[in-house]
């Protein structure tokens, strides 16, 4: 990693409807966001990042769906790392990770974890109390939004001025309609408690766009109702229309996205 006093970086270990996990590092602190893949895959991904589970300062969870917590029980059995989530999610974790210290995060109230400040905000998803995160380290700001069916005003407010954004771009509306899935499931995905489409992701970026937005990583792409090419083309056209120098890429579903470095 290059030497930079105002730097945060992140590496996506996996990102899809089958499992999600991301590593975020700033200063001398590393956090895991999501544990939706097997503990073995998490450990291997961390090794590729030059880390071990014991070196993590904590695990941040957005919500309780399996594609975000599937590996937690096995992971926490051997390494009971501190867990940070919404307070209504805490009771579900006491059985899954009984040895892990649990901390409830209130939306809008920053929590300091080592060198990184973590601020949660409410998301709109069919889960108990879903949240997204703003990660800050020495001026560098990374937004993390996944599993939300709509963009809420608080999201726009807290994401303004971010240097980098990990953003859900889950489905292409035409592919979703033609997917052959049951109509209630299509309604659920496209509804306000579901997921963001490629177009909704672009609309959000238009709302928060500024010249300092250096990186966008699109995540949680549906493997049946989207393609990386469609998601990238949609967002790149938006970035070009806005005249921004932002680099856009998709997080792979089955392997690690190398470190993305973001300086303020």
């Amino acid at each position: 990693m290059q030497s930079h006093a105002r730097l945060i970086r992140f590496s996506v270990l996996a990102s899809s409807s089958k499992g999600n996990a991301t590593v975020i590092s700033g200063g001398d602190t590393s956090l895991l966001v999501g544990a939706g893949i097997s503990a073995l895959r998490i450990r291997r991904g961390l090794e590729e990042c030059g880390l071990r589970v014991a070196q993590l300062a904590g695990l941040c969870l957005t919500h309780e769906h399996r594609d975000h917590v599937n590996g937690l029980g096995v992971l926490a059995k051997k390494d009971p790392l501190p867990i940070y989530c919404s307070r209504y999610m805490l009771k579900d974790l006491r059985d899954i990770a009984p040895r892990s210290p649990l901390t409830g995060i209130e939306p809008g109230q920053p929590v300091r974890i080592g060198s990184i400040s973590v601020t949660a905000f409410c998301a709109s998803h069919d889960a108990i109390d879903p949240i997204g995160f703003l990660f800050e380290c020495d001026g560098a700001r990374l937004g993390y939004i996944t599993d939300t069916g709509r963009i809420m005003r608080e999201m726009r407010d807290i994401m303004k001025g971010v240097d980098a954004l990990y953003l859900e771009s889950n489905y292409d509306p035409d592919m979703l309609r033609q997917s052959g899935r049951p109509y209630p499931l299509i309604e659920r995905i496209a509804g306000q408690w579901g997921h963001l489409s490629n177009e909704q992701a672009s609309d959000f970026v238009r709302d928060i766009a500024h010249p300092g937005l250096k990186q966008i990583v699109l995540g949680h792409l549906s493997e049946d109702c989207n393609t990386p090419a469609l998601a990238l083309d949609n967002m790149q056209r938006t970035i070009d229309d806005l005249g921004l120098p932002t680099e856009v890429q998709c997080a792979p579903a089955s392997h690690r996205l190398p470190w993305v470095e973001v300086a303020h």
Side-chain angles (χ1 to χ4, degrees), residues 145-162:
I145 297 177
T146 184
D147 292 74
T148 188
R150 62 189 175 99
I151 296 297
M152 303 157 77
R153 185 181 65 185
E154 294 81 2
M155 288 182 183
R156 292 186 178 91
D157 292 342
I158 201 168
M159 291 291 104
K160 287 181 179 177
V162 293

Side-chain angles (χ1 to χ4, degrees), residues 181-240:
R181 294 181 172 188
Y183 184 70
L185 178 57
I186 293 175
E187 276 197 317
R188 178 248 170 189
I189 293 169
Q192 65 172 333
W193 307 108
H195 294 275
L196 294 183
S197 69
N198 294 338
E199 290 77 8
Q200 287 174 303
S202 285
D203 288 344
F204 174 62
V205 169
R206 288 183 184 277
D207 286 343
I208 67 161
H210 67 102
L213 179 58
K214 301 176 182 70
Q215 299 277 354
I216 295 175
V217 173
L218 302 176
H220 213 303
L221 274 66
S222 169
E223 295 178 276
D224 300 321
C225 301
N226 206 357
T227 68
L230 282 172
L232 280 173
D233 180 68
N234 184 78
M235 186 59 72
Q236 190 61 58
R237 282 187 283 108
T238 299
I239 294 301
D240 292 343

Side-chain angles (χ1 to χ4, degrees), residues 60 84-87 90 103-111 113 118-120 129 131 133:
C60 298
Y84 299 83
C85 62
S86 65
R87 61 187 176 93
L90 290 176
T103 300
I105 303 180
E106 294 292 337
Q109 299 181 13
V111 173
I113 308 175
V118 182
T119 304
D129 189 19
I131 54 178
F133 297 108

Side-chain angles (χ1 to χ4, degrees), residues 18-21 33-39 42 59-75 83 85 89 92-93 96:
K18 294 180 180 178
N20 300 272
V33 185
I37 54 178
S38 71
I42 290 173
L59 166 64
C60 298
L61 295 175
T62 58
H63 63 296
E64 78 281 2
H65 288 170
R66 287 190 61 81
D67 58 326
H68 294 265
V69 302
N70 192 45
L72 176 57
V74 175
L75 188 73
I83 298 175
C85 62
M89 187 181 174
D92 288 337
L93 297 177
I96 300 174

Side-chain angles (χ1 to χ4, degrees), residues 2 11 47 58 90 130 142 156 178 191 196 214 240 242 263-264:
Q2 71 187 54
S11 176
E47 287 176 4
L90 290 176
L142 166 65
R156 292 186 178 91
Q178 298 166 14
L196 294 183
K214 301 176 182 70
D240 292 343
L242 294 168
H264 180 69

